[in-house]
Amino acid sequence: MRRRNHTGYLFVTPYALHFAIFIGFPLVFSLVLLFHRWDIVSPMVWVGLDNFAKLFHDNLFWQAMLNTGVFLLLHIPLQLVVALFLAIQLNQRIKLRGFFRAAFFLPVVVSGVVIAILWDQLYAKDTGVLNALLTQIGLPKIGWLTEPKMAMPSIALMATWKNVGLYIVLFLVGLQSVPPQMYEAASIDGAGAWQKFRRVTLPMLNPTIFMVVILSTIGGFSLFIEPYVMTGGGPMNRTLSAMLYIYKQGFFFYHMGYAATLGFAFAVIVLMVVLVQRRLVERE
């Protein structure tokens, strides 16, 4: 029995070491940083709750939170509708179905930096393809990433394009789990295509929709690469996401203690939003 226990410990040791080094220690160290001022080079200085007091008066942090909220409001409904529509189409017996499924999923596995650079070129005001198309049909050029009102919607559109393939897969799994007998019964009752979608498909997809909303919310809160590569948080801080602001505080200005405090507050806000979403879905 003792030999078997030792063998078990041997197998879990790599995971335990990985957890302790890359998760446990950073988590504990970040909790220590909450109450210190530290620039990596100098010794840490105890500041008590000063970092939390600074957070509540930091208008730029709340601007970053507002920007992240705007991104979520644009990104989640758009991604939900587009993914569901495309999944329904790709669930039909159409030509080149396998090709289209692979094509929509391809951006998911491509590096986010590469996607951001590609769309940055597409969005370029003077040389981008999108403005060239607008010019061809007689419309004025748009500063997709340079006009404050357009910058965040442009990033939301790009993020939807990149991630929609993953949610198409989830919806396809959900659609294929719907028993065909339910559609046959609805047809016998005289239901049309819209009624089948509303009365059969949507109710059966409720768990998938909930999963997509939760994953989109968490993914949206982690918005970082796109504004970092394409706008740097501009123009006028309109694309400054919460994650980008925390990164700048930590690795641009070396305010490690304050960055840890921002990260802690941000994690609490994300947790509260997810819990509220879960509560709302459970009520439904």
Side-chain angles (χ1 to χ4, degrees):
M1 181 64 75
R2 285 184 177 178
R3 182 177 299 175
R4 290 174 60 186
N5 287 339
H6 290 163
T7 304
Y9 290 136
L10 185 64
F11 276 108
V12 300
T13 297
Y15 173 77
L17 287 174
H18 177 273
F19 181 85
I21 295 172
F22 295 104
I23 299 177
F25 173 73
L27 182 62
V28 173
F29 190 61
S30 65
L31 292 176
V32 174
L33 283 176
L34 296 178
F35 308 100
H36 290 81
R37 183 174 64 247
W38 187 48
D39 62 0
I40 300 179
V41 178
S42 306
M44 286 194 289
V45 178
W46 172 266
V47 294
L49 297 176
D50 285 1
N51 286 330
F52 290 93
K54 181 180 178 181
L55 182 153
F56 286 107
H57 297 91
D58 187 348
N59 293 330
L60 200 51
F61 173 68
W62 297 111
Q63 173 68 46
M65 287 301 304
L66 177 63
N67 294 338
T68 306
V70 170
F71 174 79
L72 290 173
L73 290 176
L74 294 171
H75 175 58
I76 293 177
L78 180 62
Q79 186 156 258
L80 193 66
V81 172
V82 173
L84 180 56
F85 174 78
L86 292 175
I88 291 173
Q89 305 309 312
L90 294 175
N91 198 40
Q92 310 296 322
R93 293 181 178 176
I94 60 175
K95 290 182 179 179
L96 300 176
R97 185 172 64 173
F99 167 77
F100 286 118
R101 287 180 177 180
F104 282 115
F105 190 76
L106 183 61
V108 177
V109 296
V110 177
S111 164
V113 175
V114 174
I115 297 289
I117 293 173
L118 171 66
W119 277 77
D120 190 43
Q121 297 300 314
L122 294 176
Y123 280 143
K125 188 169 185 178
D126 295 324
T127 59
V129 174
L130 295 180
N131 276 339
L133 294 174
L134 291 178
T135 305
Q136 288 293 323
I137 59 176
L139 295 175
K141 295 179 180 178
I142 297 175
W144 298 96
L145 298 174
T146 56
E147 295 179 10
K149 290 183 179 179
M150 288 300 301
M152 188 56 85
S154 300
I155 288 179
L157 178 64
M158 186 213 70
T160 300
W161 178 84
K162 182 187 185 310
N163 299 317
V164 74
L166 173 63
Y167 302 111
I168 288 175
V169 172
L170 295 178
F171 276 126
L172 280 172
V173 173
L175 287 169
Q176 291 171 9
S177 67
V178 180
Q181 294 84 355
M182 297 188 70
Y183 290 113
E184 294 171 2
S187 298
I188 294 172
D189 291 339
W194 171 248
Q195 289 175 317
K196 288 180 185 176
F197 173 75
R198 186 181 173 188
R199 302 293 184 186
V200 179
T201 305
L202 276 184
M204 295 299 292
L205 285 180
N206 267 343
T208 307
I209 293 173
F210 172 67
M211 181 186 298
V212 169
V213 171
I214 293 296
L215 292 177
S216 298
T217 303
I218 295 173
F221 271 120
S222 62
L223 178 69
F224 173 75
I225 291 177
E226 293 86 353
Y228 179 78
V229 174
M230 300 171 72
T231 63
M236 298 175 65
N237 295 318
R238 290 295 184 90
T239 61
L240 180 68
S241 67
M243 288 291 288
L244 180 57
Y245 183 61
I246 293 170
Y247 175 81
K248 284 187 172 182
Q249 284 293 332
F251 297 100
F252 277 31
F253 308 119
Y254 299 106
H255 299 158
M256 303 305 290
Y258 185 53
T261 306
L262 293 175
F264 177 79
F266 184 59
V268 172
I269 292 172
V270 173
L271 180 62
M272 290 173 63
V273 171
V274 172
L275 289 177
V276 169
Q277 284 182 331
R278 181 178 178 181
R279 191 67 178 270
L280 290 174
V281 171
E282 286 177 349
R283 282 187 179 180
E284 294 294 329

